[in-house]
Amino acid sequence: MSRMLVPCHVKSTVALQVGDMRTSQGRPGVLVVDVTFPNVAPFELLEITFKNYYTAFLSIRVRHHTPLHTPSKWVTCLRDYCLMPDPHSEEGAQEYVSLFKHQMLCDVSRVLELRLILRQPSPLWLSFTVEELQIYQQGPKSPSLIFPKWLSHPVSSEQPAPRLEGLPDPSRVSSEVQQMWALTEMIRASHTSTRIGRFDVDGCYDLNLLSYT
Amino acid sequence: MLQEESDLSLIIAQIVQKLKGSNLYAQLERQAWACLQRPEVRLESLKEDIKEFFKISGWEKKLQNAVYSELNVYPLPSHPSAPPEHLKEPLVYMRKAQGSWEKRILKSLNSMCTELSIPLARKRPVGEQKELLNKWNEMGTDEPDLSLFRPVYAPKDFLEVLINLRNPNYENGDSLSFRTHLGLIQVPLKVKDIPELKECFVELGLSTGQLGIDDSTQVPPELFENEHVRIGQKVLLQQDSAAAQQYIRQGSPTALRAELWALILNISSQPEDILYYEQLKTNVIQHDLLVDSLIYKDVKLTASNDDYYFVFEDYLYQVLLCFSRDTSVLGHFAYNSASPPKSYIRGKLGLEEYAVFYPPNGVIPFHGFSMYVAPLCFLYHEPYKLYQIFREMYVRFFFRLHSISSHPSGIVSLCLLFETLLQTYLPQLFYHLREIGAQPLRISFKWMVRAFSGYLATDQLLLLWDRILGYNSLEILAGSSG
């Protein structure tokens, strides 16, 4: 199934916090990231991939394209997806994640906008976000190859030759021979990746000092 | 469900790809061709008949063991967007810390090289090669002047690096919070707590028989020992790696241990393996490496001085010198957070065709490294078998004890697990030691880095290493320290 990257514009994150942000001590635990798709028609969402950075839970809301004169509402398509099983520890903190269409709670066939709601309840982390966000839609179907008619519909013109007594059925033999041939081809085609084991270059192992890359 | 199916196909494809390059694949091919001659194999049901033959002749079991081995050793395929360094170590700050630590080691090795005016590698003149070949079995009698050499680093240097490891995105402030780490390790890795450990290591519970406890002289052997030995013999007869791994969680009888470990690690000494070891020996004879002197020094300082292991001194040289030349060890760097040191042939700096790894296996030994090999000498007496077992143990377990990573069996997690267990089980002891300035990790760190080799009596040590193999995890080391 091919997929196509959808060019998107990720707006800067907005922190949701109660009270006056300048004077409050704590760090925000909820961030909202809006993703818009300028110049792209409403599309069918296939996959969302990103690299996590210390986000514990992810919710996604989607705004659909609706027929004219109907106001489009935000619908939750993913609710509290857990990225870090223990928000206080490092597990899952910097993992690459993929979310697919079949995991979504609602229909995502005419997406206009996405809203990612990131939650990190633990006060131990200084910041959290998601990085390298990429949205994919269904790619174009591979063009079906047109076979010439004589290849796909072989004409059975000749009369089958009269069977000689005592010999096995020719079609059966030919299918078995074909099977054998296929096996030998398979074995020949797979070449073993042998380990070379040489550590020198043409017998020489006279080295410089070690390099710091 | 779709995702799980595609993950499974990816894992299967990865394992098939790995096995295609192995000896087992070539052997299976030969066997398949040979069995075409057999009368029970018919053309119309060729595939099924060959499969049936494999099942009966034990080849299917060998393949099963190989697949099981791959699943145990190699991590699952990661996300398609993840770069290779993510597989080595997912956390960026740990990768950076490992990188700086490696740079320090390289600088140390380079300065030793320039100070002593000894080249990193040198081709031996023919006379010297002959001499070394003659005394290959008694290299311990050699007394080279090693006074100028010093180990590249010792476990305590490594501990200092781990103590200073910090996550830049973590609240590392001085104020006490509910998650302040009272021990030396200050990174918030996930470690198992007591209930999780109990669930994971269920076979080590009080109500299950254990070798090492329930086979002591006071306990009559009919209660546990005899039955356990009988099951062990059955497992060996079946030649099933997975069953052996399950069995050994309760300890291995001394007589069966060598074979059981070889079965679990999927080591079968084929003629190709013996040939490979001989090839490594030739490499040792032809080239002299600076790392060899480090190995000599380490063996003389540690194993030769140990009451249990000094008799194996010659074996240790034969294994460790060959280990340094083994390029197949480079494969484990795919899942090790460390990277092998690189260099260029003299005069060809920067040209990639002349880039090489140094030492050829990419592993620079540190003070105490030879102690990983020493206990194995009690089990295996042919050098090539001892070599294979050690190499497999290293690329499965021991490499995690001296590289910085977030893996649950990595040394950082083990240290944190130890400190957490001690605080939970013996809080007063922990507090007291802290108060008198003796952080408990400083004492137990060297035990864990060496996997207790040299610190426990050999029979106890081998029982401990039985459990490491049985659970495919080093977490038991932290439990034993606590």
Side-chain angles (χ1 to χ4, degrees):
Chain A
M1 207 166 17
S2 64
R3 56 177 201 184
M4 216 167 66
L5 189 62
V6 182
C8 59
H9 172 65
V10 180
K11 291 196 179 147
S12 50
T13 54
V14 174
L16 301 183
Q17 214 170 359
V18 174
D20 189 352
M21 289 222 269
R22 281 170 298 157
T23 55
S24 76
Q25 296 286 335
R27 285 184 280 272
V30 186
L31 294 179
V32 179
V33 181
D34 272 336
V35 185
T36 55
F37 305 96
N39 312 320
V40 177
F43 62 93
E44 184 181 359
L45 180 69
L46 198 64
E47 188 182 341
I48 300 177
T49 43
F50 58 87
K51 181 173 188 293
N52 187 18
Y53 189 75
Y54 295 95
T55 305
F57 301 100
L58 174 67
S59 298
I60 303 182
R61 308 195 92 204
V62 66
R63 197 149 70 90
H64 286 120
H65 176 241
T66 45
L68 283 169
H69 305 305
T70 332
S72 54
K73 293 191 300 187
W74 285 100
V75 185
T76 304
C77 62
L78 193 69
R79 184 171 286 124
D80 279 342
Y81 184 77
C82 180
L83 297 170
M84 285 167 67
D86 176 6
H88 296 306
S89 77
E90 300 263 14
E91 204 181 343
Q94 297 192 27
E95 285 304 320
Y96 287 84
V97 182
S98 268
L99 299 165
F100 297 92
K101 186 170 108 172
H102 62 85
Q103 292 170 275
M104 303 291 164
L105 297 168
C106 69
D107 175 34
V108 285
S109 47
R110 286 182 319 280
V111 171
L112 265 183
E113 255 189 277
L114 283 177
R115 180 170 280 171
L116 274 68
I117 300 166
L118 314 176
R119 291 207 299 118
Q120 176 48 274
S122 170
L124 298 169
W125 310 109
L126 301 178
S127 72
F128 62 98
T129 182
V130 295
E131 297 166 343
E132 298 174 35
L133 190 62
Q134 294 186 311
I135 320 282
Y136 293 94
Q137 64 170 316
Q138 182 74 46
K141 290 212 170 18
S142 46
S144 49
L145 298 165
I146 315 288
F147 284 110
K149 197 154 170 249
W150 55 267
L151 207 57
S152 49
H153 301 288
V155 175
S156 50
S157 52
E158 299 132 24
Q159 289 289 330
R163 263 182 68 176
L164 294 171
E165 292 296 334
L167 286 178
D169 179 24
S171 53
R172 195 154 152 258
V173 170
S174 70
S175 79
E176 284 163 15
V177 168
Q178 190 224 358
Q179 220 174 351
M180 278 296 298
W181 174 84
L183 275 172
T184 47
E185 279 300 301
M186 237 167 55
I187 292 173
R188 207 178 333 158
S190 56
H191 50 116
T192 57
S193 50
T194 46
R195 294 180 296 213
I196 308 296
R198 297 277 306 276
F199 59 82
D200 52 353
V201 178
D202 299 330
C204 172
Y205 196 57
D206 188 24
L207 302 176
N208 268 331
L209 291 179
L210 301 170
S211 326
Y212 317 120
T213 36
Chain B
M1 201 42 77
L2 266 170
Q3 189 55 26
E4 284 159 31
E5 277 169 18
S6 67
D7 282 345
L8 192 60
S9 344
L10 202 57
I11 295 170
I12 294 173
Q14 185 176 293
I15 294 179
V16 168
Q17 191 60 33
K18 286 249 164 54
L19 288 178
K20 267 194 172 160
S22 67
N23 281 336
L24 183 63
Y25 187 77
Q27 284 174 321
L28 283 172
E29 244 186 324
R30 283 201 291 274
Q31 287 294 319
W33 278 113
C35 88
L36 285 176
Q37 322 247 332
R38 301 171 76 87
E40 60 264 21
V41 175
R42 274 184 288 274
L43 213 57
E44 53 271 13
S45 52
L46 190 63
K47 221 167 160 181
E48 282 70 33
D49 287 343
I50 294 187
K51 270 195 212 166
E52 189 60 36
F53 168 71
F54 277 159
K55 201 178 276 186
I56 301 170
S57 55
W59 282 100
E60 194 193 41
K61 197 50 120 185
K62 289 202 174 82
L63 181 61
Q64 212 171 348
N65 288 345
V67 171
Y68 190 68
S69 179
E70 292 292 323
L71 282 172
N72 263 339
V73 177
Y74 284 88
L76 298 175
S78 54
H79 194 271
S81 317
E85 51 267 20
H86 187 88
L87 192 65
K88 285 160 78 78
E89 172 49 55
L91 301 180
V92 174
Y93 73 92
M94 287 234 176
R95 285 207 293 266
K96 286 207 173 108
Q98 173 65 24
S100 324
W101 169 238
E102 278 172 14
K103 208 161 161 176
R104 263 177 67 180
I105 299 175
L106 297 190
K107 281 200 170 125
S108 176
L109 201 56
N110 275 346
S111 62
M112 196 189 301
C113 195
T114 41
E115 274 168 35
L116 303 176
S117 307
I118 297 177
L120 283 174
R122 170 182 74 90
K123 190 147 184 151
R124 282 189 229 268
V126 178
E128 193 185 325
Q129 287 189 26
K130 275 209 182 85
E131 202 189 317
L132 185 57
L133 189 58
N134 284 337
K135 60 171 174 52
W136 176 257
N137 288 324
E138 29 176 64
M139 283 186 275
T141 54
D142 215 8
E143 294 285 341
D145 180 17
L146 300 168
S147 52
L148 295 170
F149 289 100
R150 51 182 196 282
V152 180
Y153 66 95
K156 61 174 164 35
D157 306 314
F158 189 49
L159 178 59
E160 291 305 315
V161 173
L162 297 185
I163 290 171
N164 291 320
L165 197 55
R166 294 285 184 279
N167 180 345
N169 194 35
Y170 189 68
E171 178 72 78
N172 286 313
D174 289 325
S175 57
L176 284 176
S177 82
F178 68 101
R179 288 299 274 227
T180 303
H181 296 273
L182 295 167
L184 291 174
I185 302 294
Q186 296 290 318
V187 288
L189 293 174
K190 177 90 181 95
V191 290
K192 293 190 170 81
D193 56 13
I194 309 271
E196 283 168 333
L197 285 171
K198 275 200 183 142
E199 202 184 308
C200 196
F201 295 99
V202 69
E203 290 87 353
L204 297 178
L206 285 173
S207 50
T208 322
Q210 302 292 333
L211 277 183
I213 302 169
D214 300 306
D215 59 338
S216 62
T217 41
Q218 295 94 349
V219 180
E222 299 83 55
L223 276 182
F224 168 70
E225 196 183 349
N226 286 350
E227 181 63 18
H228 193 64
V229 173
R230 200 184 62 81
I231 298 177
Q233 284 159 340
K234 208 167 152 188
V235 166
L236 280 175
L237 210 64
Q238 290 290 316
Q239 284 289 298
D240 186 334
S241 289
Q245 195 166 326
Q246 179 63 36
Y247 168 77
I248 212 173
R249 290 178 180 189
Q250 291 171 266
S252 161
T254 314
L256 305 179
R257 181 174 280 124
E259 279 186 67
L260 276 171
W261 283 23
L263 180 56
I264 294 171
L265 297 170
N266 204 32
I267 307 263
S268 59
S269 293
Q270 303 292 324
E272 297 95 27
D273 303 313
I274 304 175
L275 217 64
Y276 191 78
Y277 177 75
E278 292 297 318
Q279 178 63 39
L280 293 175
K281 184 174 156 186
T282 317
N283 290 338
V284 177
I285 308 256
Q286 282 178 347
H287 291 273
D288 177 32
L289 304 180
L290 178 63
V291 170
D292 293 350
S293 309
L294 296 176
I295 291 172
Y296 267 108
K297 180 108 187 175
D298 183 48
V299 173
K300 293 277 184 213
L301 281 178
T302 56
S304 303
N305 284 331
D306 190 297
D307 293 336
Y308 290 106
Y309 304 123
F310 70 93
V311 290
F312 300 120
E313 190 180 342
D314 298 323
Y315 276 122
L316 296 179
Y317 296 125
Q318 289 175 35
V319 166
L320 287 167
L321 293 179
C322 290
F323 182 64
S324 295
R325 271 63 167 184
D326 193 349
T327 50
S328 69
V329 175
L330 292 173
H332 92 287
F333 286 108
Y335 52 88
N336 182 356
S337 61
S339 299
K342 207 166 129 176
S343 179
Y344 296 90
I345 299 290
R346 210 181 286 278
K348 313 276 186 206
L349 191 64
L351 296 173
E352 280 314 305
E353 314 87 78
Y354 293 93
V356 287
F357 293 117
Y358 181 85
N361 73 343
V363 180
I364 297 185
F366 56 92
H367 178 67
F369 193 83
S370 52
M371 294 302 279
Y372 289 143
V373 190
L376 302 173
C377 299
F378 276 106
L379 298 173
Y380 304 99
H381 306 295
E382 299 103 342
Y384 63 84
K385 188 93 189 221
L386 176 63
Y387 177 75
Q388 278 185 290
I389 296 279
F390 165 65
R391 179 179 62 182
E392 193 60 30
M393 289 287 277
Y394 183 81
V395 300
R396 280 200 198 202
F397 305 113
F398 297 147
F399 76 90
R400 298 203 191 274
L401 296 173
H402 62 95
S403 52
I404 304 175
S405 106
S406 61
H407 193 271
S409 272
I411 189 69
V412 188
S413 302
L414 295 183
C415 290
L416 190 58
L417 180 60
F418 162 72
E419 293 189 313
T420 318
L421 282 176
L422 198 64
Q423 283 176 63
T424 316
Y425 254 149
L426 301 166
Q428 285 171 323
L429 173 64
F430 188 86
Y431 184 72
H432 171 72
L433 285 171
R434 246 193 110 204
E435 288 295 291
I436 63 169
Q439 276 274 9
L441 185 60
R442 286 195 193 278
I443 305 168
S444 64
F445 185 73
K446 51 185 187 293
W447 304 341
M448 290 194 284
V449 166
R450 285 220 205 142
F452 281 86
S453 176
Y455 297 109
L456 271 185
T458 316
D459 56 335
Q460 301 280 305
L461 180 73
L462 292 174
L463 285 167
L464 181 65
W465 285 16
D466 283 343
R467 270 66 173 202
I468 292 179
L469 283 167
Y471 290 101
N472 201 33
S473 150
L474 292 164
E475 284 159 316
I476 196 94
L477 291 178
S480 308
S481 308

